[in-house]
Amino acid sequence: TVNEVPKSDDKHLELMSEENVKKANEFHRSFPQYSVTPLQNLSSLAKYLGVKNIFCKDESYRFGLNAFKVLGGSYAMGRYIAKELGRDISELPYNVLSSDKLREEFGQATFFTATDGNHGRGVAWAANRLGQKAVVRMPKGTTKTRFDNIAKEGATVTIEEVNYDDCVRMAAAEAAKTEHGIIVQDTAWDGYEEIPSWIMQGYGTLVLEADQQLKEMGVERPTHVFVQAGVGSLAGAVVGYFAHKYKDNPPVMAVCEASAADCLYRPFLPDPGDRQGRCRPPGMAGAAGLADGGAAGAHPDGAAVAGGTGGLSGPPAGGGPALGGLRRSDRYPLHLHRHQLPRPHRRCAGEPLSL
């Protein structure tokens, strides 16, 4: 399969070079809780759809936290400490970062973040393991379960009467006023790009694992890669890695997002419409990775997102949509447009995220 989307030579693509990603992976491997998460072979689904293979990276096993987000937060925290000490991250594996000697040399930082759940839990988990502090602000409507999962890691955590964007502003402002305080956020804005870039490289661990697992299964290069858009960091990491590694002919890559927050998809419509309040700030480095990788924008109908994960490991029931990006359905329409995505420097919801 040939990816015909135009490529770019932007410098941001180097962020997800195999060398940078391997450095992040070595950092994660130093944690005693580390193990490679499964790459599930969805053979029944592949047979049903008439394709050779479909694989799914299962991050529910990651560090016992049921989510991949800890990969980004932990690596960003390690990189920050390394930078403050003037050392390379390769010199600071887990046993060094968690040591009394490191505490004497570095002291204790307070890592602030805003979250709906998994990112904040990952930051709190990593801070707890490394003997650092964490402060987590959560938006109005957050569930008690997510709150409790973060609180049990020893973090200071609150549910605020504001939305996610305002929690980001709040956490950033608090970090700026706190001695040895730092904001660790998986979104980027003007003047705040380095830590989100480290978070992307941390997510590279799961992409590197998947790439190696594919080779072990006899697949030298995937033909298609599907990833959710989110705020852009994971998508940028996945697309950036494969675009950098397979520069001459990268896989066809589709970035999928729900119609309720279709921030990457809508700019390509004749009338993008009003997205105010539905879109979070896209990470600039993440968006750059998408643009450089020549990714496509996939926009499943909301119903397809809700029903698109059924029957992955066994025969789908009722002939419904087994996987939104691979099979069209009259009931669940899929709108797939292949574009070189732009590199937005501002949030897509109209107003810039200003701190």
Side-chain angles (χ1 to χ4, degrees):
T1 303
V2 178
N3 186 344
E4 298 174 348
V5 178
K7 306 174 183 66
S8 90
D9 57 358
D10 194 280
K11 63 180 180 180
H12 287 284
L13 193 58
E14 192 63 29
L15 284 172
M16 297 308 299
S17 69
E18 199 165 6
E19 178 183 357
N20 284 333
V21 172
K22 283 182 176 179
K23 186 174 286 189
N25 184 236
E26 287 302 315
F27 172 79
H28 291 131
R29 285 180 176 274
S30 74
F31 280 66
Q33 301 87 354
Y34 175 84
S35 63
V36 176
T37 57
L39 184 70
Q40 306 290 4
N41 187 346
L42 308 182
S43 55
S44 295
L45 177 60
K47 182 178 179 181
Y48 174 78
L49 294 174
V51 297
K52 186 174 182 180
N53 293 299
I54 297 176
F55 301 95
C56 179
K57 185 64 168 164
D58 185 353
E59 286 296 296
S60 65
Y61 295 86
R62 185 65 67 186
F63 285 160
L65 298 178
N66 198 37
F68 69 90
K69 290 292 187 76
V70 65
L71 294 173
S74 62
Y75 188 62
M77 293 162 71
R79 286 293 300 266
Y80 172 77
I81 294 172
K83 182 179 179 180
E84 289 293 294
L85 295 176
R87 296 162 71 177
D88 189 84
I89 187 63
S90 62
E91 302 173 48
L92 297 177
Y94 175 84
N95 64 336
V96 174
L97 283 173
S98 58
S99 67
D100 292 337
K101 183 178 179 181
L102 190 283
R103 176 75 70 85
E104 294 173 4
E105 183 180 359
F106 173 75
Q108 194 173 44
T110 303
F111 294 96
F112 289 81
T113 195
T115 188
D116 282 332
N118 288 329
H119 171 69
R121 187 182 183 188
V123 169
W125 182 90
N128 191 17
R129 300 305 182 278
L130 301 180
Q132 304 297 320
K133 297 178 181 178
V135 176
V136 182
R137 303 305 181 200
M138 307 186 78
K140 182 179 181 179
T142 297
T143 65
K144 186 177 186 300
T145 299
R146 291 187 173 190
F147 175 94
D148 291 344
N149 283 337
I150 294 173
K152 72 181 182 182
E153 296 296 345
T156 299
V157 55
T158 61
I159 299 176
E160 304 294 336
E161 290 298 312
V162 296
N163 64 19
Y164 172 85
D165 287 359
D166 286 336
C167 281
V168 173
R169 296 184 180 95
M170 179 184 297
E174 288 180 298
K177 297 175 183 177
T178 302
E179 184 178 0
H180 221 173
I182 186 71
I183 178 78
V184 179
Q185 204 60 45
D186 54 351
T187 56
W189 53 85
D190 287 334
Y192 183 75
E193 299 180 34
E194 185 173 50
I195 286 177
S197 297
W198 292 338
I199 288 174
M200 284 176 58
Q201 290 174 339
Y203 293 161
T205 280
L206 73 91
V207 195
L208 180 67
E209 288 178 358
D211 192 29
Q212 293 173 340
Q213 289 167 310
L214 284 173
K215 287 179 171 54
E216 292 170 3
M217 296 178 180
V219 179
E220 285 302 312
R221 167 191 167 276
T223 60
H224 297 73
V225 175
F226 295 84
V227 61
Q228 72 267 30
V231 296
S233 296
L234 175 64
V238 172
V239 171
Y241 173 86
F242 285 113
H244 188 278
K245 182 166 184 179
Y246 302 102
K247 290 180 180 178
D248 294 334
N249 183 26
V252 174
M253 291 176 278
V255 179
C256 308
E257 55 188 358
S259 58
D262 46 4
C263 307
L264 293 177
Y265 171 81
R266 277 189 174 266
F268 298 112
L269 298 179
D271 179 16
D274 179 18
R275 301 180 304 282
Q276 184 66 36
R278 303 200 307 172
C279 298
R280 293 180 177 179
M284 289 185 290
L290 298 179
D292 299 337
H299 175 267
D301 179 85
V305 174
T309 55
L312 294 182
S313 57
L323 190 63
L326 294 180
R327 184 179 179 91
R328 288 183 179 273
S329 165
D330 292 334
R331 184 181 177 192
Y332 300 123
L334 172 74
H335 309 284
L336 179 62
H337 293 263
R338 300 181 66 213
H339 294 280
Q340 183 179 3
L341 298 180
R343 189 179 307 105
H345 286 269
R346 295 289 187 181
R347 65 176 303 195
C348 58
E351 293 298 320
L353 177 69
S354 55
L355 300 174

